[in-house]
Amino acid sequence: MVKENKNIMKVFKIMSAAILLLVTVGVSADVTAQQKSVMEETLSSKQQSMISIAAVAAKGDLAKLKNEMNTGLGTGLTISQIKEAMIHLYAYAGFPRSLRGLQTLMAVIDERKAKGITDQKGQEASPVSDQRSKYERGKAVLEKLTGVPETGAKTGYAAFAPEIEVFLKEHLFADLFERDVLTYAERELVTVSVLSGIGGVEPMLKSHLTICLNIGLSPGQLQHFVETIQSAIGRKEAKSAQSVLDEVLKDKK
């Protein structure tokens, strides 16, 4: 009888342990799923810093740009990533803003070195091995970004000024977007940040927010983008970006 009771107790302990394990695994899986869901709806600290740096650089507020660059380096952005963002910026905000951004970054790096802070340099752009013409490469990149084949007759500005269509393909989407220092998603976040900063370019902002969705950024992350814009450069710019984002999300339904 005593032996039977011991066996019963042993079985009970084993069953209890098994149940506890199943509950623990279930809770852990649920927490992991919730964490994944939150990650899919928010931007990382590095992404937020990249947005703030690009938007402030587009505005030309160099004092604030120094602060944002310091914050970005603190989050783990490399020197090469911030430098590449400033290079990418010129396609939308012009050489003056780009060059002032690069000069500001140089000053920030020197100041941090003087304080004994060593920042990660990061990778340099890899050489392009694709033997196709720049136009064909740029066309292929644009098709990846938009998910729309570049076929058919040119319309709008591309038909009115064919030269600019060639420049866009060869330079913006080949020379810049092909560089591997930043991912497509990072380049698009820089792009929509700059467009939000300069203002008055809602059609372009709409196109690039649509691209953001096409390459994997979620509606929640784009909403977080708008919130980051408000924090970085103000309510007016955020309100305009929100209005465009609302249109994009409505069109996607």
Side-chain angles (χ1 to χ4, degrees), residues 129-203:
S129 58
D130 194 327
Q131 296 301 307
R132 291 177 296 175
S133 69
K134 278 188 181 182
Y135 186 86
E136 287 302 318
R137 288 173 9 225
K139 180 181 174 182
V141 169
L142 183 56
E143 287 177 339
K144 286 181 184 177
L145 293 171
T146 63
V148 178
E150 284 289 309
T151 57
K154 302 303 177 186
T155 60
Y157 69 82
F160 181 70
E163 298 86 352
I164 198 69
E165 193 268 341
V166 172
F167 295 159
L168 283 169
K169 293 286 197 311
E170 292 187 347
H171 186 46
L172 177 59
F173 293 109
D175 286 339
L176 291 178
F177 269 88
E178 262 191 323
R179 290 166 64 86
D180 58 2
V181 178
L182 299 178
T183 64
Y184 284 163
E186 288 167 339
R187 287 191 182 278
E188 282 301 333
L189 285 176
V190 170
T191 299
V192 293
S193 300
V194 173
L195 294 176
S196 296
I198 62 179
V201 288
E202 286 74 15

